[in-house]
């Protein structure tokens, strides 16, 4: 028997090394990739549990000197190799990750007999691919012919790329658009610019695909999806009008070069929601020189706006952060003129005495936007930037929020990369706003904490129509944007009107239960809360305790129920404590049913629940009650319209 087993093992190793196979399978066997060359062109198909997800979709890349889109001949494969990696994700939905995937490298030659490799990975949560161009010296990559052909009948959950030089002070594109929900594949993007990642698709009931990219750094451009073209979404380079006209849209690389990964995360909705593919495929670009600690952040600007970026208000917010045991305070735009550098140093010292680290806002520019907010022109020049960071370090500043980038060209990717590397020299954490999607950056850059790249809470505070739609919008972004990376939505507003006494602001349409569910639903290495100091007096003690104990990073995540654009129930664990949060993005109440059989025993829990309007006459009242999770581990709960809940289990 032993001999037989040995023979079997030997045979399987032999088979995997011969390289004759052209079919790649995921370790669990559920995903299958076919690669083919036909009439001089490259294609791939992807299957999940024998369902077709990607139908004969195009591949290829064009450089200044080589064309790998036609006249292609198949040359060989590496054979399947297994890739494993155990790593820690300090900023996200799971902490200890055991990654396993199968990888295959197909080699082709073009008309001029130059070699190109197409590398495919299949993991249990989907398929990814990238190109490797061999050779030496500099090369210019002009475009990719990579595409995605989804089966007919697929429904899309898509967000458009904004038109360049549109929006606030011409700062677009900054990934701050609405999602279209359950739209046909033929849908044309709002501005004719294509769609941004991540793009979600329901191929058939219970079968989902999330398209994105990861591993983008200073060596490439950030890409997006084209409008659908003969049934194919193509990977498209930034448009010429991104950033400044003189900045090139192509990518300058040094050979040999491997492109970022194109990712097809797929399976059940839970498979997609729990996936860490964007982080699994990348490695750190440098070591952390300091200990960067994720945390909760007090932040006045979202409700109180520019005119409250003044010393006394910021000091009050430090006191609020101290009361809640929160780690940080963010001081937003105009601190340089409305507070001044000496007083900022005083606030940093006051914060340090209360264990509250102070972070500062900066305008990214440069000449690429007209945003008047200062401080300006301190982040785009290496010498000036490093001098500024040296000052920050000298007064104990812990992080920066850099805003208004305006495009996906390589010049922008270099600026993100430069800011992050320099900040690491001075122990500074980085948060980008008015920005592109982070593409694996939590791992690649150890001091990268979060990005906006979402139509977040700030829009809710500026426009009643956005506030009216907030709950549904959140139900889109948690299934898309937040799946691939830290998302600085800046949630949890408890004011009835989202402004100060003077500005008043739009009426909030979500319940208190909805708002309190958000720090569990949304993940961000720095979670900026939209609460104001008065909220601590207005709400019961259990709310204050909840806000003071809520973690920002998680050991484990389980998706329990939900549908994009409608509602979600998500369980996350931190240490021995589970938080189960749910919310309803629709106008009617929603009954949710979910299974918590991952708890071994009968458990007692506490729940924070909306007090229904019919009883309280308010949408801003919550109650805490003790509950017992039943023996069958099935929970049934009705969430009011725009409402939410949190269950906490030790
Ligand atoms: Ca913004």
């Amino acid at each position: 028997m032993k001999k037989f087993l040995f023979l079997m093992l030997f045979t399987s190793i032999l088979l995997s090394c011969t390289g004759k196979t052209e079919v790649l399978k995921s370790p669990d066997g559920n995903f299958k990739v076919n690669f083919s060359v036909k009439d001089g062109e490259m294609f791939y198909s992807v299957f999940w549990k024998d369902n077709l997800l990607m139908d004969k979709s195009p591949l290829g890349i064009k450089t200044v000197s080589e064309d790998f889109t036609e006249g292609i001949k198949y040359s060989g494969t590496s054979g399947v190799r297994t890739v494993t990696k155990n790593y820690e994700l300090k900023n996200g939905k799971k902490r200890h990750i055991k990654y396993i995937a199968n990888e295959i490298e197909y080699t082709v030659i073009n008309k001029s007999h130059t070699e190109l490799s197409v590398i495919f990975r299949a993991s249990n949560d989907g398929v990814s691919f990238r190109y490797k161009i061999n050779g030496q010296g500099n090369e210019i990559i002009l475009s990719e012919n990579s595409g995605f052909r989804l089966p007919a009948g697929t429904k899309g959950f898509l967000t458009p790329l904004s038109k360049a030089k549109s929006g606030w002070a011409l700062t677009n594109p900054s990934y701050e658009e609405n999602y279209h929900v359950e739209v046909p594949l033929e849908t044309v993007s709002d501005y004719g610019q294509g769609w941004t990642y991540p793009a979600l698709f329901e191929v058939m009931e219970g079968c989902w695909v999330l398209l994105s990219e990861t591993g983008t750094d200073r060596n490439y451009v950030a890409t997006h999806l084209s409008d659908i073209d003969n049934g194919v979404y193509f990977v498209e380079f930034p448009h010429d009008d991104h950033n400044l006209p003189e900045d090139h849209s192509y990518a300058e690389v040094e050979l040999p070069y491997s492109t970022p990964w194109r990712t097809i995360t797929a399976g059940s909705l839970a498979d997609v929601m729990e996936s860490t593919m964007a982080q699994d495929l990348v490695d750190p670009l440098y070591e952390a020189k300091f200990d960067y600690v994720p945390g909760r952040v007090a932040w006045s600007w979202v409700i109180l706006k520019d005119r409250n970026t003044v010393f006394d208000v910021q000091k009050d917010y430090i006191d609020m952060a101290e009361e809640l045991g929160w780690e940080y305070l963010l001081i937003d735009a105009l601190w340089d003129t409305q507070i001044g550098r000496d007083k900022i140093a005083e606030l940093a010292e006051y914060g340090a005495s209360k264990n509250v680290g102070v972070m500062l806002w900066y305008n990214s520019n440069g000449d690429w936007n007209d945003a008047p907010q200062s401080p300006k022109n301190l982040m785009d020049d290496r010498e000036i930037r490093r001098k500024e960071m040296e000052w920050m370090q000298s007064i104990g500043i812990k992080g920066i929020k850099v805003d208004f980038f305006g495009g996906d060209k390589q010049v922008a990717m270099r600026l993100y990369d430069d800011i992050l590397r320099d900040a690491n020299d001075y122990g500074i954490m980085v948060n980008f706003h008015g920005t592109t999607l982070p593409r694996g950056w939590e791992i690649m850059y150890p001091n990268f904490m979060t990005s906006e790249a979402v139509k977040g809470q700030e829009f809710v505070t500026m426009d009643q129509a956005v506030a009216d739609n907030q709950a549904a919008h959140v139900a889109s972004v948690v299934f898309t944007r937040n799946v691939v990376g830290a998302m600085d939505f800046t949630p949890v507003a408890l004011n009835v009107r989202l402004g100060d006494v003077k500005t008043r602001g739009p009426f909030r349409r979500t319940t208190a239960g909805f708002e309190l569910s958000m720090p569990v639903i949304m993940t961000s290495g720095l979670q900026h809360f939209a609460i104001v100091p008065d909220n601590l007096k207005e709400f019961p003690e259990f709310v204050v305790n909840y806000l003071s104990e809520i973690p920002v990073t998680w050991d484990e995540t389980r998706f329990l129920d939900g549908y994009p654009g409608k509602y979600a129930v998500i369980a996350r664990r931190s240490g021995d404590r589970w938080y189960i949060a749910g919310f309803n993005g629709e106008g009617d109440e929603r009954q949710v049913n979910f299974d918590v059989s991952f708890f071994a025993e009968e458990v007692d829990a506490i729940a924070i629940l909306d007090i229904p309007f019919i009883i309280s006459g308010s949408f801003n009242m919550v109650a805490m009650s003790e509950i017992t999770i039943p023996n069958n581990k099935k929970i049934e709960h009705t969430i009011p319209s725009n409402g939410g809940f949190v269950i906490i289990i030790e």
Side-chain angles (χ1 to χ4, degrees), residues 174 176 401 403-404 433-435 452-454 456 458-459 462:
S174 49
E176 294 170 307
K401 167 182 170 184
D403 212 336
F404 305 136
H433 269 237
T435 180
E452 187 181 31
V454 67
E458 64 173 4
F459 285 88
M462 293 189 274

Side-chain angles (χ1 to χ4, degrees), residues 186-208:
E186 301 74 41
T187 307
V188 177
S189 65
D190 306 52
Y191 314 108
Q193 306 289 305
W195 308 100
T196 58
Y197 304 120
L200 179 68
F201 300 91
E202 187 177 22
V203 175
M204 67 194 83
E205 204 188 324
C207 177
W208 295 81

Side-chain angles (χ1 to χ4, degrees), residues 12-135:
S12 73
I13 289 169
L14 205 67
L15 270 179
S16 72
C17 291
T18 54
K20 275 182 187 154
T21 172
E22 285 186 19
V23 177
L24 175 71
K25 281 186 176 172
S26 58
D28 65 5
N30 285 340
F31 284 96
K32 203 172 81 182
V33 182
N34 286 334
F35 172 83
S36 60
V37 178
K38 195 163 181 257
D39 300 330
E41 291 177 42
M42 291 181 277
F43 299 96
Y44 72 101
S45 307
V46 178
F47 298 83
W48 178 63
K49 294 183 173 171
D50 293 327
N51 298 304
L52 181 68
L53 301 185
M54 220 52 77
D55 186 10
K56 213 169 169 241
S57 299
L59 293 165
I61 193 163
K62 251 186 201 171
T63 73
V64 154
S65 41
E66 300 290 343
D67 185 349
F68 294 104
T69 65
E70 51 173 36
I72 297 295
K73 276 192 190 134
Y74 178 70
S75 157
T77 96
S78 63
V80 176
R81 53 198 177 218
T82 299
V83 182
T84 57
K85 185 170 88 169
N86 290 340
Y87 73 98
E88 195 181 349
L89 178 58
K90 288 184 182 163
N91 171 2
K93 56 186 128 175
K94 286 178 202 169
R95 185 170 289 268
H96 298 286
I97 295 173
K98 282 190 176 145
Y99 172 67
I100 178 164
N102 291 327
E103 182 177 278
I104 192 166
E105 188 170 334
Y106 300 103
T107 310
V108 298
I109 49 168
N110 67 0
K111 276 189 240 169
S112 57
H113 301 283
T114 308
E115 249 184 33
L116 174 79
S117 296
V118 188
I119 300 164
F120 275 93
R121 284 239 185 129
S123 48
N124 294 341
D125 56 353
V127 169
S128 53
F129 65 88
R130 65 172 170 183
Y131 305 97
K132 188 174 157 211
I133 306 176
N134 294 315

